[in-house]
């Protein structure tokens, strides 16, 4: 990228990070890189920044978003999973986690997060649609399992328990 095409935000955050490598500006810089498609640069910035700021939620959220952008949903899911319970009020985190949980076939967790998001914003039709779809999908699985569990062959039945 030539200097003339660099976003002013990127320039601002790069300068801030150059002035103080321990600065939390690494997360918005990585997010800016991610948004313009420089995922590898974002990963480099996140790796260094999280070393200095291991408890910074925005850093992990951006890291998970980068993983999701690359289709690495298992990595995104495992990055976000420990952050879900203590950060229930972070809607972006909940939404990203729900999507990653769904992609990795952790459907119960995805449904739980989507239901929580719907509780916070009951008029969000796209979330309501996801809740309905997952509930139907999970209900079908339960019905199929219970039907398989009670299936037996009448010809194999014996007259007494000792047989």
């Amino acid at each position: 990228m030539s200097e003339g095409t660099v976003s002013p935000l990127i320039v601002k955050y790069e300068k801030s990070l150059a002035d103080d490598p321990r600065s939390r500006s690494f997360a918005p810089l990585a997010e800016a890189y991610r948004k313009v498609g420089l995922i590898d640069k974002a990963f480099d910035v996140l790796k260094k920044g999280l070393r200095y700021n291991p408890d910074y939620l925005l850093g992990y959220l951006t890291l998970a978003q980068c993983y999701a952008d690359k289709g690495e949903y298992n990595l995104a899911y495992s990055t976000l999973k420990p952050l879900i319970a203590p950060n229930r009020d972070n809607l972006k985190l909940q939404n990203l986690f729900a999507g990653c949980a769904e992609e990795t076939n952790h459907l119960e967790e995805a449904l739980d997060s989507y239901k929580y998001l719907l509780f916070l914003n009951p008029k969000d039709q796209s979330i309501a649609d996801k809740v309905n779809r997952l509930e139907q999908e999970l209900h079908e699985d339960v019905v199929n399992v219970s039907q398989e569990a009670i299936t037996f062959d009448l010809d194999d039945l014996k007259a007494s328990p000792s047989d």
Side-chain angles (χ1 to χ4, degrees):
M1 231 160 134
S2 68
E3 188 63 34
T5 62
V6 174
S7 160
L9 276 178
I10 290 176
V11 172
K12 174 186 168 187
Y13 291 129
E14 284 177 338
K15 182 178 178 347
S16 175
L17 201 57
D19 292 345
D20 180 9
R22 294 178 179 268
S23 165
R24 287 186 166 187
S25 63
F26 77 93
L29 175 59
E31 179 66 9
Y33 282 150
R34 185 188 74 76
K35 285 184 176 180
V36 297
L38 299 172
I39 303 287
D40 291 334
K41 261 188 139 171
F43 278 123
D44 290 341
V45 169
L46 288 163
K47 181 180 173 184
K48 293 172 189 167
L50 286 170
R51 190 175 326 137
Y52 292 122
N53 300 281
D55 297 326
Y56 192 41
L57 178 64
L58 185 57
Y60 289 103
L61 185 56
T62 304
L63 178 63
Q65 186 64 62
C66 287
Y67 284 139
D69 288 351
K70 289 190 81 150
E72 298 285 346
Y73 295 105
N74 283 322
L75 291 170
Y77 170 85
S78 51
T79 298
L80 296 175
K81 178 134 174 88
L83 305 173
I84 290 302
N87 297 289
R88 289 294 279 181
D89 60 333
N90 189 314
L91 301 182
K92 185 174 181 180
L93 173 71
Q94 292 296 328
N95 201 13
L96 180 58
F97 177 74
C100 292
E102 191 172 358
E103 287 289 335
T104 57
N105 210 30
H106 294 95
L107 300 183
E108 290 285 346
E109 290 174 290
L111 180 59
D112 182 56
S113 287
Y114 284 137
K115 281 183 174 180
Y116 186 74
L117 288 167
L118 190 60
F119 171 76
L120 294 177
N121 187 3
K123 293 183 180 184
D124 188 329
Q125 190 57 48
S126 71
I127 297 295
D129 292 343
K130 290 175 183 178
V131 167
N132 288 333
R133 181 180 45 76
L134 282 174
E135 282 181 334
Q136 287 176 347
E137 194 172 319
L138 289 169
H139 178 70
E140 287 174 8
D141 289 344
V142 169
V143 169
N144 289 338
V145 167
S146 62
Q147 285 176 349
E148 290 173 17
I150 61 170
T151 301
F152 54 92
D153 188 0
L154 290 174
D155 294 333
D156 290 339
L157 290 178
K158 305 294 183 198
S160 71
S162 61
D163 292 337

